[in-house]
Amino acid sequence: MKKIVLGSFTLFVVYAVLIWLYLFQWSDTSIPDALKGTSVDPATFMNERELVLAQEYSQIKDFLFFLSVPYEWLGFVLVLVLGFSRKFSKWAKDITKMSALQTAIYVFWLSLLLQVFTFPLDWISYKLSMAYNITTQSFTSWMKDMTIDFWISLIMMCLIVFVLYTLINKSPKRWWLYAWLLSIPFTLFITFIQPVVIDPLYNDFYPLKDKQLEEKILHLADEASIPTDHVYEVNMSEKTNSMNAYVTGIGANSRIVLWDTTLNKLSDNEILFIMAHEMGHYVKKHIYVGIASALVLSLVGLWMTKKLSDMIMRKWGTNLKVKSFQDVSSLPLILLLLSILTFAVSPATNLLSRHHEVQSDTYALELTEDKEAAVKTFQALSRSGLSQVNPPFLVKVFRYSHPTILERIEFMEEHNKEE
Protein backbone atom coordinates (compact mmCIF):
# COMPACT_ATOMS: atom_id res chain seq x y z
CA MET A 1 0.00 0.00 0.00
CA LYS A 2 2.79 2.42 0.91
CA LYS A 3 4.56 1.74 -2.39
CA ILE A 4 1.39 2.42 -4.38
CA VAL A 5 0.61 5.65 -2.49
CA LEU A 6 4.19 6.93 -2.62
CA GLY A 7 4.55 5.95 -6.28
CA SER A 8 1.29 7.66 -7.20
CA PHE A 9 2.26 10.90 -5.46
CA THR A 10 5.75 10.82 -7.02
CA LEU A 11 4.34 10.37 -10.52
CA PHE A 12 1.85 13.18 -9.94
CA VAL A 13 4.56 15.61 -8.78
CA VAL A 14 6.89 14.74 -11.68
CA TYR A 15 4.02 15.13 -14.14
CA ALA A 16 3.05 18.51 -12.61
CA VAL A 17 6.62 19.80 -12.94
CA LEU A 18 6.84 18.72 -16.58
CA ILE A 19 3.49 20.33 -17.42
CA TRP A 20 4.55 23.55 -15.71
CA LEU A 21 7.78 23.62 -17.69
CA TYR A 22 5.92 22.93 -20.92
CA LEU A 23 3.34 25.67 -20.42
CA PHE A 24 5.50 28.37 -18.82
CA GLN A 25 8.96 27.75 -20.28
CA TRP A 26 8.96 25.62 -23.40
CA SER A 27 5.86 26.74 -25.34
CA ASP A 28 5.87 29.51 -27.95
CA THR A 29 2.43 31.12 -28.22
CA SER A 30 3.47 34.00 -30.48
CA ILE A 31 1.90 34.28 -33.93
CA PRO A 32 3.93 33.81 -37.12
CA ASP A 33 5.77 36.94 -38.31
CA ALA A 34 3.80 36.90 -41.56
CA LEU A 35 0.55 37.43 -39.62
CA LYS A 36 1.71 40.28 -37.40
CA GLY A 37 -0.31 43.43 -37.96
CA THR A 38 -3.19 41.47 -39.52
CA SER A 39 -6.64 40.78 -38.05
CA VAL A 40 -5.19 37.62 -36.45
CA ASP A 41 -2.64 39.57 -34.41
CA PRO A 42 -3.99 40.09 -30.86
CA ALA A 43 -2.02 43.34 -30.68
CA THR A 44 -4.51 44.79 -33.18
CA PHE A 45 -7.58 44.15 -31.01
CA MET A 46 -6.21 43.93 -27.44
CA ASN A 47 -4.44 46.61 -25.44
CA GLU A 48 -1.15 45.88 -23.64
CA ARG A 49 -2.83 45.03 -20.34
CA GLU A 50 -5.26 42.62 -22.03
CA LEU A 51 -2.36 40.92 -23.83
CA VAL A 52 -0.55 40.33 -20.54
CA LEU A 53 -3.69 39.17 -18.74
CA ALA A 54 -4.64 36.79 -21.56
CA GLN A 55 -1.20 35.17 -21.45
CA GLU A 56 -1.19 34.84 -17.65
CA TYR A 57 -4.77 33.64 -17.32
CA SER A 58 -4.51 31.09 -20.13
CA GLN A 59 -1.29 29.60 -18.78
CA ILE A 60 -2.61 29.20 -15.24
CA LYS A 61 -6.01 27.92 -16.41
CA ASP A 62 -4.38 25.34 -18.70
CA PHE A 63 -2.01 24.28 -15.92
CA LEU A 64 -4.96 23.69 -13.58
CA PHE A 65 -6.73 21.65 -16.26
CA PHE A 66 -3.73 19.38 -16.81
CA LEU A 67 -3.37 18.99 -13.03
CA SER A 68 -7.04 18.24 -12.41
CA VAL A 69 -7.18 15.15 -14.62
CA PRO A 70 -4.43 13.05 -12.93
CA TYR A 71 -5.46 14.56 -9.58
CA GLU A 72 -8.84 12.89 -10.07
CA TRP A 73 -7.09 9.62 -10.91
CA LEU A 74 -5.01 9.96 -7.75
CA GLY A 75 -8.23 10.34 -5.78
CA PHE A 76 -9.62 7.07 -7.16
CA VAL A 77 -6.38 5.24 -6.33
CA LEU A 78 -6.29 6.56 -2.76
CA VAL A 79 -9.94 5.68 -2.16
CA LEU A 80 -9.13 2.11 -3.14
CA VAL A 81 -5.73 1.46 -1.53
CA LEU A 82 -6.57 3.27 1.72
CA GLY A 83 -9.64 1.09 2.12
CA PHE A 84 -12.30 3.81 1.98
CA SER A 85 -14.22 2.09 -0.82
CA ARG A 86 -14.34 -1.20 1.09
CA LYS A 87 -15.46 0.59 4.28
CA PHE A 88 -18.25 2.45 2.46
CA SER A 89 -19.49 -0.84 1.00
CA LYS A 90 -19.43 -2.47 4.46
CA TRP A 91 -21.29 0.47 6.04
CA ALA A 92 -24.00 0.22 3.40
CA LYS A 93 -24.43 -3.52 3.95
CA ASP A 94 -24.54 -3.07 7.74
CA ILE A 95 -27.31 -0.48 7.45
CA THR A 96 -29.70 -2.29 5.10
CA LYS A 97 -30.18 -5.51 3.17
CA MET A 98 -31.90 -3.79 0.23
CA SER A 99 -29.41 -3.67 -2.64
CA ALA A 100 -30.82 -0.44 -4.08
CA LEU A 101 -30.39 1.36 -0.74
CA GLN A 102 -26.93 -0.16 -0.28
CA THR A 103 -25.95 1.30 -3.64
CA ALA A 104 -27.38 4.72 -2.75
CA ILE A 105 -25.53 4.82 0.58
CA TYR A 106 -22.26 3.73 -0.97
CA VAL A 107 -22.50 6.20 -3.88
CA PHE A 108 -23.35 9.05 -1.49
CA TRP A 109 -20.26 8.53 0.68
CA LEU A 110 -17.97 7.94 -2.30
CA SER A 111 -19.30 11.05 -4.09
CA LEU A 112 -18.95 13.17 -0.96
CA LEU A 113 -15.36 12.05 -0.35
CA LEU A 114 -14.34 12.68 -3.97
CA GLN A 115 -16.07 16.07 -3.89
CA VAL A 116 -14.07 17.06 -0.83
CA PHE A 117 -10.87 15.76 -2.44
CA THR A 118 -11.34 17.76 -5.66
CA PHE A 119 -12.76 20.89 -3.99
CA PRO A 120 -9.37 22.65 -3.54
CA LEU A 121 -8.69 22.68 -7.29
CA ASP A 122 -12.29 23.72 -8.01
CA TRP A 123 -11.96 26.59 -5.55
CA ILE A 124 -8.62 27.69 -7.00
CA SER A 125 -10.15 27.73 -10.50
CA TYR A 126 -13.06 29.81 -9.22
CA LYS A 127 -10.74 32.31 -7.48
CA LEU A 128 -8.59 32.52 -10.60
CA SER A 129 -11.60 33.42 -12.75
CA MET A 130 -12.65 36.00 -10.17
CA ALA A 131 -9.16 37.53 -10.06
CA TYR A 132 -9.12 37.99 -13.85
CA ASN A 133 -12.72 39.26 -13.96
CA ILE A 134 -13.98 36.34 -16.03
CA THR A 135 -16.30 35.11 -13.30
CA THR A 136 -18.67 37.58 -11.62
CA GLN A 137 -20.52 34.92 -9.64
CA SER A 138 -20.65 35.27 -5.88
CA PHE A 139 -19.23 32.50 -3.73
CA THR A 140 -22.74 31.69 -2.46
CA SER A 141 -24.07 31.32 -6.00
CA TRP A 142 -21.04 29.26 -7.00
CA MET A 143 -21.56 26.91 -4.07
CA LYS A 144 -25.25 26.64 -4.96
CA ASP A 145 -24.33 25.48 -8.47
CA MET A 146 -21.83 22.99 -7.04
CA THR A 147 -24.51 21.64 -4.71
CA ILE A 148 -26.95 21.23 -7.60
CA ASP A 149 -24.21 19.47 -9.57
CA PHE A 150 -23.57 17.14 -6.64
CA TRP A 151 -27.20 16.08 -6.19
CA ILE A 152 -27.97 15.71 -9.90
CA SER A 153 -24.83 13.60 -10.35
CA LEU A 154 -25.67 11.60 -7.23
CA ILE A 155 -29.19 10.76 -8.43
CA MET A 156 -27.97 9.68 -11.86
CA MET A 157 -25.01 7.79 -10.40
CA CYS A 158 -27.22 5.84 -8.00
CA LEU A 159 -29.37 4.66 -10.90
CA ILE A 160 -26.42 3.91 -13.18
CA VAL A 161 -24.38 2.10 -10.52
CA PHE A 162 -27.34 -0.01 -9.34
CA VAL A 163 -28.09 -1.14 -12.91
CA LEU A 164 -24.38 -1.64 -13.68
CA TYR A 165 -23.69 -3.92 -10.71
CA THR A 166 -26.92 -5.82 -11.30
CA LEU A 167 -25.59 -6.58 -14.78
CA ILE A 168 -22.09 -7.42 -13.47
CA ASN A 169 -23.52 -9.93 -10.99
CA LYS A 170 -25.95 -11.50 -13.46
CA SER A 171 -23.53 -11.58 -16.43
CA PRO A 172 -19.87 -11.26 -15.33
CA LYS A 173 -18.61 -11.79 -18.91
CA ARG A 174 -20.96 -9.60 -20.94
CA TRP A 175 -22.07 -6.90 -18.53
CA TRP A 176 -20.20 -4.29 -20.58
CA LEU A 177 -22.32 -5.03 -23.68
CA TYR A 178 -25.65 -4.94 -21.83
CA ALA A 179 -24.60 -1.75 -20.04
CA TRP A 180 -23.82 -0.15 -23.39
CA LEU A 181 -27.18 -1.20 -24.87
CA LEU A 182 -29.00 0.37 -21.92
CA SER A 183 -26.87 3.53 -22.22
CA ILE A 184 -28.35 4.32 -25.65
CA PRO A 185 -31.92 5.16 -24.53
CA PHE A 186 -30.55 6.73 -21.34
CA THR A 187 -28.24 9.08 -23.30
CA LEU A 188 -31.04 10.07 -25.68
CA PHE A 189 -33.40 10.67 -22.76
CA ILE A 190 -30.93 12.90 -20.88
CA THR A 191 -30.13 14.86 -24.06
CA PHE A 192 -33.86 15.33 -24.68
CA ILE A 193 -34.77 16.55 -21.19
CA GLN A 194 -31.65 18.62 -20.48
CA PRO A 195 -32.91 21.93 -22.00
CA VAL A 196 -36.23 21.85 -20.15
CA VAL A 197 -35.41 20.03 -16.89
CA ILE A 198 -31.71 20.25 -16.02
CA ASP A 199 -30.46 23.56 -17.50
CA PRO A 200 -33.20 25.70 -15.84
CA LEU A 201 -31.95 24.52 -12.43
CA TYR A 202 -28.86 26.70 -12.96
CA ASN A 203 -30.15 29.70 -14.92
CA ASP A 204 -33.31 31.39 -16.16
CA PHE A 205 -34.15 30.83 -19.83
CA TYR A 206 -36.66 32.94 -21.74
CA PRO A 207 -37.44 33.94 -25.34
CA LEU A 208 -35.18 36.67 -26.71
CA LYS A 209 -36.36 40.06 -25.42
CA ASP A 210 -35.14 42.06 -28.43
CA LYS A 211 -37.96 41.27 -30.87
CA GLN A 212 -36.34 43.09 -33.79
CA LEU A 213 -33.22 41.01 -33.40
CA GLU A 214 -35.31 37.88 -32.96
CA GLU A 215 -37.08 38.66 -36.23
CA LYS A 216 -33.71 38.90 -38.01
CA ILE A 217 -32.59 35.61 -36.49
CA LEU A 218 -35.84 33.87 -37.42
CA HIS A 219 -35.42 35.19 -40.97
CA LEU A 220 -31.99 33.52 -41.06
CA ALA A 221 -33.54 30.32 -39.70
CA ASP A 222 -36.16 30.45 -42.43
CA GLU A 223 -33.42 30.79 -45.07
CA ALA A 224 -31.73 27.77 -43.53
CA SER A 225 -35.04 25.83 -43.51
CA ILE A 226 -34.92 25.48 -39.72
CA PRO A 227 -38.38 25.18 -38.09
CA THR A 228 -38.21 27.37 -34.99
CA ASP A 229 -40.39 29.97 -33.30
CA HIS A 230 -38.03 31.23 -30.61
CA VAL A 231 -34.42 31.95 -29.83
CA TYR A 232 -33.68 31.61 -26.13
CA GLU A 233 -31.75 34.01 -23.93
CA VAL A 234 -30.10 33.04 -20.65
CA ASN A 235 -29.02 35.42 -17.87
CA MET A 236 -25.33 34.49 -17.64
CA SER A 237 -24.20 38.05 -16.82
CA GLU A 238 -24.84 37.25 -13.15
CA LYS A 239 -22.05 34.67 -13.34
CA THR A 240 -19.57 35.60 -16.05
CA ASN A 241 -18.23 38.26 -18.39
CA SER A 242 -17.40 35.77 -21.15
CA MET A 243 -19.69 35.13 -24.12
CA ASN A 244 -21.26 32.04 -25.61
CA ALA A 245 -24.09 30.62 -27.68
CA TYR A 246 -24.97 26.99 -28.27
CA VAL A 247 -27.41 24.43 -29.60
CA THR A 248 -28.81 21.92 -27.12
CA GLY A 249 -31.39 19.18 -26.97
CA ILE A 250 -32.86 16.93 -29.65
CA GLY A 251 -36.23 16.62 -31.34
CA ALA A 252 -38.98 18.86 -30.00
CA ASN A 253 -36.71 20.13 -27.22
CA SER A 254 -33.98 21.46 -29.53
CA ARG A 255 -32.97 24.99 -28.59
CA ILE A 256 -30.66 27.71 -29.83
CA VAL A 257 -29.47 29.63 -26.78
CA LEU A 258 -27.71 33.01 -26.49
CA TRP A 259 -25.99 34.23 -23.33
CA ASP A 260 -27.10 37.74 -22.42
CA THR A 261 -23.42 38.73 -22.22
CA THR A 262 -23.21 38.00 -25.94
CA LEU A 263 -26.23 40.23 -26.56
CA ASN A 264 -24.74 43.04 -24.49
CA LYS A 265 -21.26 43.03 -26.06
CA LEU A 266 -21.79 42.31 -29.75
CA SER A 267 -23.49 44.16 -32.58
CA ASP A 268 -26.53 42.72 -34.34
CA ASN A 269 -24.44 41.59 -37.33
CA GLU A 270 -21.99 39.79 -35.06
CA ILE A 271 -24.86 38.13 -33.19
CA LEU A 272 -26.39 37.08 -36.51
CA PHE A 273 -23.11 35.44 -37.48
CA ILE A 274 -23.07 33.50 -34.19
CA MET A 275 -26.67 32.45 -34.73
CA ALA A 276 -25.90 31.33 -38.28
CA HIS A 277 -23.01 29.30 -36.86
CA GLU A 278 -25.32 27.58 -34.38
CA MET A 279 -27.83 26.96 -37.16
CA GLY A 280 -25.01 25.29 -39.04
CA HIS A 281 -24.73 22.74 -36.24
CA TYR A 282 -28.46 22.06 -36.59
CA VAL A 283 -28.39 21.81 -40.39
CA LYS A 284 -25.30 19.57 -40.39
CA LYS A 285 -26.88 17.41 -37.64
CA HIS A 286 -23.77 17.67 -35.48
CA ILE A 287 -25.69 16.86 -32.30
CA TYR A 288 -26.74 13.48 -33.70
CA VAL A 289 -23.24 12.80 -35.06
CA GLY A 290 -21.83 13.66 -31.63
CA ILE A 291 -24.24 11.31 -29.87
CA ALA A 292 -23.49 8.50 -32.34
CA SER A 293 -19.71 8.90 -32.01
CA ALA A 294 -20.00 9.03 -28.21
CA LEU A 295 -21.98 5.78 -28.21
CA VAL A 296 -19.40 4.06 -30.42
CA LEU A 297 -16.58 5.22 -28.15
CA SER A 298 -18.49 4.16 -25.05
CA LEU A 299 -18.90 0.65 -26.47
CA VAL A 300 -15.14 0.36 -27.00
CA GLY A 301 -14.49 2.01 -23.64
CA LEU A 302 -16.72 -0.37 -21.69
CA TRP A 303 -15.16 -3.37 -23.42
CA MET A 304 -11.64 -2.14 -22.59
CA THR A 305 -12.74 -1.41 -19.02
CA LYS A 306 -13.89 -5.02 -18.69
CA LYS A 307 -10.58 -6.39 -20.01
CA LEU A 308 -8.38 -4.04 -17.98
CA SER A 309 -10.35 -4.46 -14.75
CA ASP A 310 -10.11 -8.27 -15.00
CA MET A 311 -6.34 -8.01 -15.40
CA ILE A 312 -5.95 -5.49 -12.56
CA MET A 313 -8.12 -7.52 -10.18
CA ARG A 314 -6.05 -10.65 -10.83
CA LYS A 315 -2.76 -8.88 -10.17
CA TRP A 316 -3.55 -6.17 -7.63
CA GLY A 317 -7.04 -6.83 -6.28
CA THR A 318 -5.69 -7.42 -2.76
CA ASN A 319 -3.63 -4.21 -2.79
CA LEU A 320 -6.70 -2.27 -3.93
CA LYS A 321 -8.70 -3.66 -0.99
CA VAL A 322 -11.37 -5.07 -3.31
CA LYS A 323 -12.41 -8.65 -2.58
CA SER A 324 -14.52 -9.10 -5.69
CA PHE A 325 -15.20 -7.11 -8.83
CA GLN A 326 -18.89 -7.98 -8.35
CA ASP A 327 -18.90 -5.90 -5.17
CA VAL A 328 -19.72 -2.19 -5.49
CA SER A 329 -16.41 -1.37 -3.77
CA SER A 330 -14.76 -1.89 -7.17
CA LEU A 331 -16.57 1.19 -8.55
CA PRO A 332 -13.56 3.56 -8.15
CA LEU A 333 -11.55 1.17 -10.34
CA ILE A 334 -14.20 1.36 -13.07
CA LEU A 335 -14.36 5.15 -12.77
CA LEU A 336 -10.56 5.38 -12.89
CA LEU A 337 -10.32 3.30 -16.06
CA LEU A 338 -13.17 5.18 -17.77
CA SER A 339 -11.57 8.52 -16.88
CA ILE A 340 -8.18 7.45 -18.24
CA LEU A 341 -9.73 6.13 -21.46
CA THR A 342 -11.82 9.28 -21.89
CA PHE A 343 -8.74 11.47 -21.52
CA ALA A 344 -6.76 9.25 -23.91
CA VAL A 345 -9.39 9.54 -26.62
CA SER A 346 -10.04 13.29 -26.10
CA PRO A 347 -7.62 14.32 -28.91
CA ALA A 348 -9.80 12.37 -31.36
CA THR A 349 -13.11 13.69 -30.02
CA ASN A 350 -11.75 17.24 -29.99
CA LEU A 351 -10.55 16.80 -33.58
CA LEU A 352 -14.05 15.75 -34.66
CA SER A 353 -15.55 18.68 -32.78
CA ARG A 354 -13.13 21.13 -34.41
CA HIS A 355 -14.10 19.72 -37.81
CA HIS A 356 -17.76 20.37 -36.98
CA GLU A 357 -16.93 23.91 -35.91
CA VAL A 358 -15.17 24.61 -39.21
CA GLN A 359 -18.22 23.32 -41.06
CA SER A 360 -20.47 25.61 -39.01
CA ASP A 361 -18.15 28.60 -39.51
CA THR A 362 -18.24 27.98 -43.26
CA TYR A 363 -22.02 27.66 -43.21
CA ALA A 364 -22.39 30.88 -41.20
CA LEU A 365 -20.13 32.83 -43.54
CA GLU A 366 -22.01 31.61 -46.60
CA LEU A 367 -25.38 32.35 -45.00
CA THR A 368 -24.57 35.85 -43.72
CA GLU A 369 -21.92 36.85 -46.31
CA ASP A 370 -20.39 39.05 -43.60
CA LYS A 371 -16.70 38.28 -43.12
CA GLU A 372 -16.12 41.48 -41.14
CA ALA A 373 -18.72 40.49 -38.54
CA ALA A 374 -17.16 37.02 -38.30
CA VAL A 375 -13.65 38.36 -37.67
CA LYS A 376 -14.85 40.91 -35.12
CA THR A 377 -16.83 38.20 -33.33
CA PHE A 378 -13.79 35.96 -32.90
CA GLN A 379 -11.69 38.90 -31.75
CA ALA A 380 -14.35 39.80 -29.17
CA LEU A 381 -14.56 36.20 -27.95
CA SER A 382 -10.81 36.11 -27.44
CA ARG A 383 -10.83 39.44 -25.63
CA SER A 384 -13.77 38.70 -23.32
CA GLY A 385 -12.48 35.25 -22.33
CA LEU A 386 -8.79 36.30 -22.20
CA SER A 387 -8.01 33.44 -24.57
CA GLN A 388 -4.70 32.91 -26.28
CA VAL A 389 -4.93 33.37 -30.02
CA ASN A 390 -2.29 30.68 -30.63
CA PRO A 391 -2.23 28.27 -27.64
CA PRO A 392 0.43 25.56 -27.12
CA PHE A 393 0.05 22.39 -29.17
CA LEU A 394 -0.89 20.08 -26.28
CA VAL A 395 -3.46 22.59 -25.03
CA LYS A 396 -5.11 22.63 -28.43
CA VAL A 397 -5.03 18.83 -28.71
CA PHE A 398 -6.45 18.05 -25.27
CA ARG A 399 -8.55 21.13 -24.50
CA TYR A 400 -9.84 22.75 -27.67
CA SER A 401 -13.15 21.50 -29.02
CA HIS A 402 -13.08 24.60 -31.28
CA PRO A 403 -10.32 25.72 -33.66
CA THR A 404 -8.00 28.32 -32.18
CA ILE A 405 -8.83 32.00 -32.70
CA LEU A 406 -5.85 32.22 -35.05
CA GLU A 407 -7.21 29.36 -37.16
CA ARG A 408 -10.76 30.71 -37.21
CA ILE A 409 -9.85 34.24 -38.23
CA GLU A 410 -7.27 33.08 -40.78
CA PHE A 411 -9.87 30.68 -42.23
CA MET A 412 -12.34 33.54 -42.62
CA GLU A 413 -9.78 35.72 -44.37
CA GLU A 414 -8.69 32.93 -46.75
CA HIS A 415 -12.26 31.77 -47.46
CA ASN A 416 -13.22 35.32 -48.35
CA LYS A 417 -10.26 35.60 -50.78
CA GLU A 418 -11.24 32.36 -52.50
CA GLU A 419 -14.69 33.72 -53.16
Side-chain angles (χ1 to χ4, degrees):
M1 182 185 72
K2 290 180 180 179
K3 287 182 179 180
I4 294 176
V5 173
L6 182 59
S8 298
F9 272 107
T10 301
L11 284 174
F12 179 76
V13 171
V14 171
Y15 165 84
V17 171
L18 290 174
I19 286 295
W20 185 90
L21 289 171
Y22 174 76
L23 293 174
F24 291 89
Q25 300 295 326
W26 298 338
S27 297
D28 181 10
T29 58
S30 62
I31 64 170
D33 290 339
L35 296 176
K36 289 182 178 178
T38 67
S39 57
V40 173
D41 188 352
T44 64
F45 57 87
M46 288 187 186
N47 59 42
E48 290 186 11
R49 176 171 172 75
E50 287 172 334
L51 289 170
V52 172
L53 292 178
Q55 181 72 5
E56 291 177 353
Y57 177 68
S58 295
Q59 286 178 322
I60 301 172
K61 179 181 64 174
D62 293 335
F63 181 62
L64 288 174
F65 166 79
F66 281 107
L67 277 191
S68 66
V69 177
Y71 185 75
E72 179 186 66
W73 302 345
L74 179 63
F76 292 136
V77 171
L78 293 179
V79 166
L80 287 167
V81 299
L82 295 180
F84 286 107
S85 186
R86 184 174 63 183
K87 288 178 182 178
F88 294 158
S89 177
K90 184 177 183 302
W91 289 351
K93 291 174 182 176
D94 289 343
I95 292 173
T96 179
K97 294 183 178 180
M98 295 179 61
S99 58
L101 283 178
Q102 288 176 356
T103 300
I105 294 169
Y106 173 86
V107 171
F108 171 79
W109 284 111
L110 177 65
S111 299
L112 185 61
L113 180 61
L114 292 174
Q115 185 75 54
V116 171
F117 183 77
T118 58
F119 182 81
L121 280 184
D122 293 333
W123 182 79
I124 290 171
S125 296
Y126 166 72
K127 296 298 289 184
L128 175 69
S129 295
M130 284 287 290
Y132 284 86
N133 202 33
I134 301 297
T135 294
T136 58
Q137 189 176 17
S138 68
F139 180 76
T140 302
S141 175
W142 179 72
M143 283 299 299
K144 177 185 175 183
D145 283 353
M146 286 200 69
T147 303
I148 293 173
D149 277 340
F150 176 83
W151 286 107
I152 290 177
S153 298
L154 180 66
I155 292 169
M156 289 196 291
M157 278 292 290
C158 286
L159 174 62
I160 293 169
V161 172
F162 176 71
V163 172
L164 177 64
Y165 277 88
T166 299
L167 295 174
I168 289 174
N169 281 279
K170 288 184 178 292
S171 181
K173 293 184 178 180
R174 298 192 179 182
W175 62 265
W176 59 274
L177 178 60
Y178 301 135
W180 178 77
L181 291 172
L182 288 175
S183 75
I184 297 175
F186 181 78
T187 300
L188 293 174
F189 175 72
I190 293 298
T191 306
F192 182 78
I193 69 167
Q194 181 167 338
V196 295
V197 177
I198 298 175
D199 290 347
L201 295 174
Y202 298 90
N203 300 98
D204 296 325
F205 291 79
Y206 35 80
L208 190 61
K209 295 176 183 177
D210 187 337
K211 295 306 175 184
Q212 289 185 336
L213 178 59
E214 184 179 47
E215 186 177 343
K216 294 177 183 178
I217 294 172
L218 292 178
H219 177 70
L220 271 184
D222 184 59
E223 287 187 36
S225 300
I226 297 175
T228 183
D229 297 323
H230 295 292
V231 176
Y232 287 87
E233 179 181 343
V234 56
N235 63 329
M236 289 300 296
S237 56
E238 296 178 355
K239 298 181 179 181
T240 182
N241 282 319
S242 60
M243 298 183 289
N244 196 16
Y246 59 90
V247 178
T248 185
I250 56 175
N253 282 353
S254 294
R255 285 185 176 183
I256 297 176
V257 180
L258 266 170
W259 287 10
D260 61 346
T261 50
T262 305
L263 293 166
N264 296 335
K265 295 182 179 182
L266 298 183
S267 68
D268 281 6
N269 286 343
E270 292 160 1
I271 292 170
L272 288 174
F273 174 81
I274 289 179
M275 287 292 93
H277 172 94
E278 299 306 325
M279 291 173 190
H281 285 304
Y282 181 93
V283 171
K284 301 293 183 179
K285 303 189 185 304
H286 290 160
I287 292 177
Y288 297 98
V289 174
I291 292 173
S293 60
L295 289 173
V296 171
L297 289 173
S298 67
L299 174 62
V300 177
L302 285 168
W303 175 78
M304 290 188 68
T305 299
K306 164 68 168 62
K307 296 298 182 182
L308 291 171
S309 60
D310 286 348
M311 180 190 70
I312 291 171
M313 285 298 298
R314 284 195 303 269
K315 292 186 176 182
W316 300 295
T318 302
N319 293 329
L320 296 179
K321 304 293 193 299
V322 178
K323 292 182 179 179
S324 169
F325 186 73
Q326 282 73 30
D327 188 83
V328 72
S329 61
S330 66
L331 179 61
L333 175 60
I334 295 177
L335 296 177
L336 171 63
L337 292 174
L338 288 175
S339 180
I340 291 173
L341 292 171
T342 300
F343 183 73
V345 79
S346 61
T349 56
N350 285 338
L351 183 63
L352 176 63
S353 178
R354 290 196 297 271
H355 174 66
H356 287 168
E357 296 300 329
V358 170
Q359 288 184 326
S360 291
D361 282 348
T362 304
Y363 181 87
L365 186 58
E366 293 173 349
L367 185 63
T368 62
E369 298 180 340
D370 194 343
K371 184 212 73 171
E372 183 180 353
V375 171
K376 287 185 176 179
T377 297
F378 295 137
Q379 291 174 339
L381 288 171
S382 179
R383 194 167 52 245
S384 69
L386 294 180
S387 302
Q388 289 174 318
V389 170
N390 188 29
F393 175 74
L394 289 181
V395 173
K396 173 186 171 181
V397 169
F398 285 98
R399 292 211 66 189
Y400 273 54
S401 59
H402 290 60
T404 65
I405 296 296
L406 184 150
E407 291 170 335
R408 299 183 86 172
I409 295 178
E410 193 174 18
F411 174 79
M412 289 296 160
E413 298 286 5
E414 292 300 320
H415 189 81
N416 192 60
K417 288 178 184 178
E418 291 174 5
E419 293 185 348

